[in-house]
Amino acid sequence: MEMISENRCFGGVQGVYSHESACCSTTMTFGLYLPPQAAHGPVPVLWYLSGLTCTHENAMVKAGAQAHAAHAGLALVFPDTSPRGEGVADDEAYDLGQGAGFYVNATRSPWEPHFRMWDYVAEELPALVVSEFPLDADRQAITGHSMGGHGALTLAIGLPGRFASASAFAPIAHPSQSDWGRKQLSAYLGEQESTWAAHDSVLLMQDRGFDGPLLVDQGSDDQFLDLLKPEVLAEAMAARRQEGAFRIQKGYDHSYFFISTFMGDHVAFHADALALS
Amino acid sequence: MEMISENRCFGGVQGVYSHESACCSTTMTFGLYLPPQAAHGPVPVLWYLSGLTCTHENAMVKAGAQAHAAHAGLALVFPDTSPRGEGVADDEAYDLGQGAGFYVNATRSPWEPHFRMWDYVAEELPALVVSEFPLDADRQAITGHSMGGHGALTLAIGLPGRFASASAFAPIAHPSQSDWGRKQLSAYLGEQESTWAAHDSVLLMQDRGFDGPLLVDQGSDDQFLDLLKPEVLAEAMAARRQEGAFRIQKGYDHSYFFISTFMGDHVAFHADALALS
């Protein structure tokens, strides 16, 4: 693992690191914030998965999460959204290939050799950061935005017992029935839609739900409402009697101005679930 | 004035606007945050001046100021750092020309036709925003970072009675004796150094000081300490018996991670001076 940068931030350290990923067969970069409490021993971890076109950096510099994480004593991990670099397949569209990994393990050419973001976020990166930083692997939570909200919800439901709590900002809730999803799941997983079910939050919610509290925030003026399909997720959460809350935030859109506004709520929610407050 | 974007943010609105500047003879862009309290009447204003290479956007998306401004009921204005566009002079160096206006009115070719950032920030933009938004022109404060800290301090001292309070993050404190200053003041104002004195915070502090409270934060691990010359400003503030505080923040550097960490302190400081808390 190589240190790219470290900056003091709210009494802790915001770092950026890279490593050779066996899983993705390329160099991967991630951001990791250690709160001041990490000086005294392992701290719990909140994963933040980003959306389409983002790298590890966007949320790290624009979401305002470090202030709240420092207050709660939580570490933050900001993975990249796809493999990148020489020899890694890409597409001209902003919503396929690099910057658009959709948190799945691709099984189809040309994506299959590198696009293994599920395994990367579920297995390889957790093992790395737990070995390299003072993190408490038994206390983890997960959140994300848009495509990263999709990733957070599918990982949370798909890995029972891993995350004490899950949340999402404007998640792509029902990709198997959205133009943000059908194209990508077809490309990465093939046309057989049964293979998509593990990567659709609504289908997972209908099938089994999440074994902890769940918080979802969605702006009423989001420019991508038709692609996100929040109403189907809200219905599925209520029908499942899923512990947690689905909230519509009036007047907010899909931007980081929306995310930063409610980041304090989300960090406090996870801190509660992790018994930090 | 043209609206470029408006995003709901912490219950208020983060906008970006452009206008034809008579002062700079080009189109200028700025950011302006209105807190929720602006729905009920004019609110006080905190100006934020940015540093080298920045536009109106950097602090608007990375400094985390809106959360604190919404809490205090303050509007924020984020001017650009120079004129830009077709026909506007520039230089290959990052620290001269576009993105590096240094908050002066240039009197030398090729800068003189457009580079009038002192008048722009002191006169034209205040008149515009007060006419277009619910702002209380009688209650203003100013802050900034690096070159913008230089701008905040020189404007605050140079316009007695305008600002109730002033603050700066890692300001270029003594440009007349720094490589961040001598080159630019020579280029914009000419070689006669007596014309530079109105644009050097240390000289202004030695000469007269600021007629309100002043807060300066400086990271101990700032990579530009030699160029910023904080020790000369600290000495001048103490010698002047300037009301306020000069603080060294241990381990912090020159980045927005430093700024965002202490932005809450700065907004609270200005809110106190504006009698908002």
Side-chain angles (χ1 to χ4, degrees), chain B residues 174 201-209 232 235-237 240:
Chain B
H174 200 17
S201 302
V202 165
L203 297 180
L204 289 167
M205 184 57 62
Q206 290 169 343
D207 182 53
R208 57 191 125 142
V232 197
E235 196 277 336
M237 286 173 62
R240 168 64 49 192

Side-chain angles (χ1 to χ4, degrees), chain A residues 7 10-11 251-253 260-261, chain B residues 7-8 10-11 252-253 260-261:
Chain A
N7 299 88
F10 289 96
Y252 288 87
D253 58 28
S260 61
T261 298
Chain B
N7 299 88
R8 187 154 290 275
F10 289 96
Y252 287 87
D253 57 29
S260 61
T261 298

Side-chain angles (χ1 to χ4, degrees), chain B:
Chain B
M1 194 184 77
E2 184 184 353
M3 189 269 280
I4 307 292
S5 63
E6 289 184 336
N7 299 88
R8 187 154 290 275
C9 185
F10 289 96
V13 177
Q14 177 62 61
V16 176
Y17 310 91
S18 69
H19 67 111
E20 293 309 310
S21 165
C23 179
C24 297
S25 300
T26 189
T27 304
M28 296 292 287
T29 303
F30 64 95
L32 187 142
Y33 177 70
L34 281 182
Q37 295 86 343
H40 310 296
V43 292
V45 187
L46 175 60
W47 292 78
Y48 181 99
L49 303 185
S50 283
L52 289 165
T53 77
C54 290
T55 68
H56 67 281
E57 192 180 25
N58 302 62
M60 195 183 95
V61 300
K62 298 203 292 187
Q66 294 92 347
H68 308 295
H71 180 74
L74 271 171
L76 302 167
V77 189
F78 303 97
D80 203 346
T81 57
S82 79
R84 300 177 193 273
E86 293 262 338
V88 176
D90 201 7
D91 188 276
E92 286 184 5
Y94 76 95
D95 61 356
L96 188 67
Q98 296 186 31
F102 263 76
Y103 306 100
V104 303
N105 293 330
T107 57
R108 291 297 184 274
S109 179
W111 312 109
E112 180 272 343
H114 299 284
F115 282 72
R116 301 187 60 77
M117 288 303 291
W118 178 279
D119 281 356
Y120 179 69
V121 173
E123 305 301 338
E124 186 179 33
L125 188 55
L128 177 70
V129 297
V130 165
S131 75
E132 296 278 348
F133 299 96
L135 304 180
D136 181 352
D138 293 331
R139 293 196 292 174
Q140 299 188 57
I142 192 165
T143 187
H145 172 233
S146 196
M147 178 183 75
H150 147 78
L153 297 179
T154 55
L155 282 154
I157 300 176
L159 299 169
R162 171 74 64 90
F163 301 105
S165 48
S167 75
F169 300 85
I172 299 176
H174 200 17
S176 69
Q177 300 300 324
S178 167
D179 287 343
W180 271 355
R182 294 189 65 82
K183 167 184 172 180
Q184 295 85 356
L185 296 174
S186 297
Y188 296 141
L189 303 178
E191 299 294 339
Q192 196 177 332
E193 297 192 18
S194 60
T195 64
W196 303 0
H199 302 287
D200 185 300
S201 302
V202 165
L203 297 180
L204 289 167
M205 184 57 62
Q206 290 169 343
D207 182 53
R208 57 191 125 142
F210 173 60
D211 57 349
L214 173 61
L215 172 64
V216 179
D217 270 321
Q218 173 63 58
S220 71
D221 289 12
D222 194 311
Q223 54 270 52
F224 303 114
L225 281 168
D226 289 349
L227 294 161
L228 301 170
K229 306 201 178 298
E231 59 283 350
V232 197
L233 178 60
E235 196 277 336
M237 286 173 62
R240 168 64 49 192
R241 319 298 188 234
Q242 170 66 50
E243 177 186 0
F246 179 99
R247 312 191 301 190
I248 291 288
Q249 301 292 359
K250 186 171 167 63
Y252 287 87
D253 57 29
H254 202 66
S255 70
Y256 275 92
F257 296 113
F258 158 63
I259 299 170
S260 61
T261 298
F262 299 102
M263 182 57 77
D265 283 5
H266 284 242
V267 171
F269 163 79
H270 293 295
D272 275 347
L274 293 162
L276 298 174
S277 60

Side-chain angles (χ1 to χ4, degrees), chain A residues 34-57:
Chain A
L34 281 182
Q37 295 85 344
H40 310 297
V43 293
V45 187
L46 175 60
W47 292 79
Y48 181 99
L49 304 186
S50 282
L52 289 166
T53 77
C54 290
T55 68
H56 67 282
E57 191 181 26

